[in-house]
Amino acid sequence: MDKWLFLSLILILITGCEYSPWQINRLQCDGFSIPEQLDAVAEVEQMMLGSDSFKVGFVADSQLHPQSLYDAIGHLNQQDDLAFLFVLGDLSEMGLEKEVNWACQAFKRAKFPVLVVIGNHDSISFGKKIWEEAFKLFNYSFSFLNTRFIVYNDNKYEFSDVPDHDFISQAANLSTDELRNHTIAVSHIQPWSIDDDQHEVRDFKQFLYDRGIGYTIHGHTSKFSYFQDNVLDLTHYIVGDAAGGDFAIMNVMPNSINFKSCSPECLPAVLE
Amino acid sequence: MEIELAFTSLLAIVLSLAIPSPLKAEINNYLLPSVASPSYAHQLVDDHCAQSKYVLTPDNLIIQTAGYVGFIAIGLGWGVTKNSQFSLLAGYVPKSVAGIELWQLSAKFDWYVFEKSIINMSVKSIHWHPFYLGLGLTYGIHDDLWVQLPDRYPDEYYQPTAFRFLLNFGSKFSLRHYDVIFGYSLFDIEVFEYINSHEFYRKNYSFFGLAGIGSLSLAIELDW
């Protein structure tokens, strides 16, 4: 009896033991890698073939508040026709595995695919390794019902040579016989410069515009914002942070896009 | 640079504990004049000399696994009062068990609430401290962790990534010169998020949500 008690105790200790706050080998995000979720998005597209409009959800900056992420997903679950959800970065505050695990646990509540975007906080400590292991990709693109989504990494303090202009250019290219209504760029931070160089910001916006991108969607600033560039026909939408109970819904139609900012009541976003 | 800072801090803490008791008595004289009669101060000195023991001398050797201080951590403990202890530990985390390899330095202060004798005989006795509460700080030594924000960042862009505060609970069994300690530890973000998002943890993890946070630990102390 004593031996069984001792063995049970050892087993409890082994399974319940964490050796370091910084360990990275107990990820619990199975099934939420970006390639797997893109497969799920493709299945949703198959089911929606023939539709000319669809809705996409957005949540951003849920670090330190998994409850808020969980609640936002709960609210979005009530949208019958939501195709998929973007989580616009900063799943974690300190780039720790436990924080990412809690976010993945919240994702399990979703009735739709969840696509993640890397944020600056996700990239510190061993966050890059955790991201690669859990989600696989820092940049990716896909098409959904004639709309092209280009998701790019723009965390300049944490990565060198980002955003990847070659990737964005290639992803924005129109294939032969492709019908495309919109090209939408998604990243954690709106176009920005480490040195606060407005020429650099202007050049990047011009780069996006020249590649046919009409909308960009971001998080990071923790408050809703919806504005058009004062020179280019390029519209930016910033999602408020999940900690404040914010999330958003984008309605994509063949000739237009509109947004609803939700806290959690949803109101139409108005261009500033 | 960070390793030098860590060891200098560790040395400062150890040296601060090495204040000889006669000097402590003089300090008490100054701070507590009501009890600092010359005879009292001299008695303190005599008591110390009789024991011939400096505060620097640790009271036990500690070996611990898990509890966020390392896969294996070895350290020293100093009894502060009859029911409290300060410990310093050096821990190692191999890549094979954690996915990354790093060293950790940890400092802990634990307070044992009360003691109960389970078996009390002249030959052997087992004492049980049913519950202890402690605070700790663990420092991760790795190139990807920092104490001071790298120069490329604006001021206060991030908090230091190399430190995590710990909250420790547990129970200790003492048999002669050996103590076995079963513990449960939380690091700062876990405590914050559990308080902030307790409904999320209760709905998604067992044991009132505690299965989603924290770590068990096992330590053995050899008393000197």
Side-chain angles (χ1 to χ4, degrees):
Chain A
M1 181 65 177
D2 289 340
K3 287 179 186 174
W4 285 115
L5 184 63
F6 180 73
L7 189 61
S8 302
L9 194 60
I10 295 295
L11 283 172
I12 288 170
L13 283 168
I14 289 170
T15 55
C17 283
E18 306 267 344
Y19 303 113
S20 175
W22 296 284
Q23 66 185 60
I24 63 170
N25 66 338
R26 290 199 182 178
L27 277 167
Q28 295 165 2
C29 292
D30 290 348
F32 288 109
S33 73
I34 292 164
E36 288 170 306
Q37 291 299 299
L38 287 176
D39 287 343
V41 169
E43 288 177 14
V44 172
E45 186 184 35
Q46 284 300 308
M47 288 191 292
M48 292 182 68
L49 280 177
S51 303
D52 63 358
S53 65
F54 61 95
K55 290 180 183 174
V56 179
F58 296 96
V59 177
D61 302 279
S62 59
Q63 72 263 48
L64 300 178
H65 295 88
Q67 179 75 56
S68 299
L69 175 62
Y70 188 76
D71 289 343
I73 291 173
H75 287 298
L76 289 166
N77 276 345
Q78 294 169 12
Q79 302 284 324
D80 292 330
D81 50 354
L82 202 76
F84 52 90
L85 168 69
F86 274 116
V87 181
L88 298 170
D90 284 359
L91 282 63
S92 64
E93 174 71 9
M94 300 302 288
L96 301 174
E97 177 188 72
K98 274 263 176 86
E99 298 182 274
V100 175
N101 285 345
W102 299 327
C104 288
Q105 184 65 32
F107 293 164
K108 291 179 183 175
R109 192 183 190 188
K111 294 180 180 176
F112 32 75
V114 179
L115 295 169
V116 292
V117 180
I118 188 164
N120 55 305
H121 282 270
D122 301 317
S123 313
I124 60 175
S125 302
F126 302 105
K128 293 178 192 175
K129 291 188 176 71
I130 292 170
W131 192 274
E132 283 183 302
E133 184 63 31
F135 306 118
K136 310 301 183 196
L137 302 173
F138 298 127
N139 301 290
Y140 58 99
S141 65
F142 63 99
S143 292
F144 189 90
L145 294 180
N146 302 324
T147 294
R148 187 83 176 150
F149 290 91
I150 302 172
V151 182
Y152 64 91
N153 173 14
D154 65 349
N155 299 293
K156 297 180 183 182
Y157 282 125
E158 292 75 27
F159 291 84
S160 57
D161 301 323
V162 295
D164 185 339
H165 285 57
D166 291 339
F167 161 75
I168 294 171
S169 293
Q170 201 167 8
N173 276 343
L174 203 60
S175 306
T176 310
D177 298 330
E178 180 187 351
L179 173 63
R180 188 181 298 180
N181 295 330
H182 308 284
T183 307
I184 299 174
V186 181
S187 71
H188 178 59
I189 311 173
Q190 62 183 301
W192 69 293
S193 163
I194 284 182
D195 303 312
D196 202 24
D197 180 351
Q198 292 308 311
H199 292 293
E200 183 182 341
V201 176
R202 169 60 44 206
D203 287 347
F204 184 65
K205 286 188 178 184
Q206 187 69 54
F207 166 79
L208 294 177
Y209 177 77
D210 289 344
R211 275 137 195 87
I213 291 166
Y215 290 84
T216 73
I217 303 169
H218 316 279
H220 186 68
T221 61
S222 302
K223 60 178 183 178
F224 286 114
S225 185
Y226 183 34
F227 60 98
Q228 192 153 32
D229 184 81
N230 55 8
V231 173
L232 304 166
D233 186 14
L234 180 62
T235 304
H236 305 284
Y237 182 73
I238 319 293
V239 182
D241 70 17
D246 296 341
F247 58 95
I249 299 171
M250 176 176 71
N251 188 14
V252 181
M253 292 161 286
N255 296 314
S256 66
I257 291 177
N258 60 56
F259 296 89
K260 284 186 181 175
S261 303
C262 308
S263 298
E265 183 190 351
C266 296
L267 296 172
V270 178
L271 273 171
E272 296 165 15
Chain B
M1 173 66 179
E2 290 183 14
I3 293 177
E4 291 166 3
L5 179 65
F7 279 105
T8 304
S9 304
L10 196 64
L11 189 62
I13 291 167
V14 169
L15 286 175
S16 71
L17 294 170
I19 300 173
S21 288
L23 180 55
K24 275 190 175 176
E26 291 298 324
I27 293 171
N28 283 335
N29 274 345
Y30 179 77
L31 293 176
L32 300 169
S34 62
V35 299
S37 63
S39 60
Y40 179 76
H42 284 121
Q43 184 61 50
L44 285 174
V45 172
D46 290 344
D47 285 348
H48 163 73
C49 290
Q51 294 172 10
S52 297
K53 182 173 178 280
Y54 275 63
V55 175
L56 178 62
T57 306
D59 295 302
N60 49 53
L61 172 72
I62 306 165
I63 302 173
Q64 179 173 332
T65 181
Y68 294 129
V69 297
F71 174 66
I72 182 77
I74 295 174
L76 300 170
W78 289 264
V80 178
T81 66
K82 185 186 172 191
N83 291 323
S84 65
Q85 174 167 295
F86 175 76
S87 311
L88 293 173
L89 296 149
Y92 175 64
V93 184
K95 189 173 181 180
S96 56
V97 299
I100 40 96
E101 180 187 36
L102 78 160
W103 290 86
Q104 289 181 225
L105 297 175
S106 306
K108 296 174 17 172
F109 181 86
D110 298 320
W111 176 54
Y112 294 88
V113 177
F114 58 94
E115 180 182 342
K116 184 179 174 63
S117 292
I118 298 176
I119 299 171
N120 202 354
M121 304 188 320
S122 59
V123 177
K124 67 176 177 183
S125 61
I126 298 177
H127 298 278
W128 179 37
H129 298 265
F131 179 75
Y132 76 83
L133 173 68
L135 294 174
L137 177 69
T138 191
Y139 165 51
I141 303 172
H142 192 282
D143 288 342
D144 287 350
L145 301 175
W146 63 70
V147 174
Q148 197 168 353
L149 200 60
D151 292 338
R152 65 181 181 274
Y153 289 110
D155 291 343
E156 299 179 4
Y157 200 77
Y158 292 118
Q159 297 295 314
T161 57
F163 287 119
R164 295 265 63 90
F165 288 96
L166 302 175
L167 183 63
N168 304 309
F169 310 92
S171 189
K172 179 167 87 169
F173 295 87
S174 301
L175 170 64
R176 283 195 285 184
H177 298 295
Y178 297 95
D179 302 319
V180 179
I181 300 154
F182 301 97
Y184 176 72
S185 298
L186 302 163
F187 63 82
D188 42 21
I189 290 180
E190 292 182 313
V191 176
F192 179 85
E193 296 205 20
Y194 185 76
I195 293 171
N196 251 352
S197 298
H198 59 274
E199 199 178 316
F200 165 79
Y201 290 100
R202 285 210 323 272
K203 281 183 181 173
N204 287 277
Y205 300 98
S206 56
F207 297 114
F208 306 102
L210 296 178
I213 60 173
S215 169
L216 300 174
S217 65
L218 174 66
I220 294 172
E221 291 181 358
L222 170 63
D223 300 326
W224 293 334

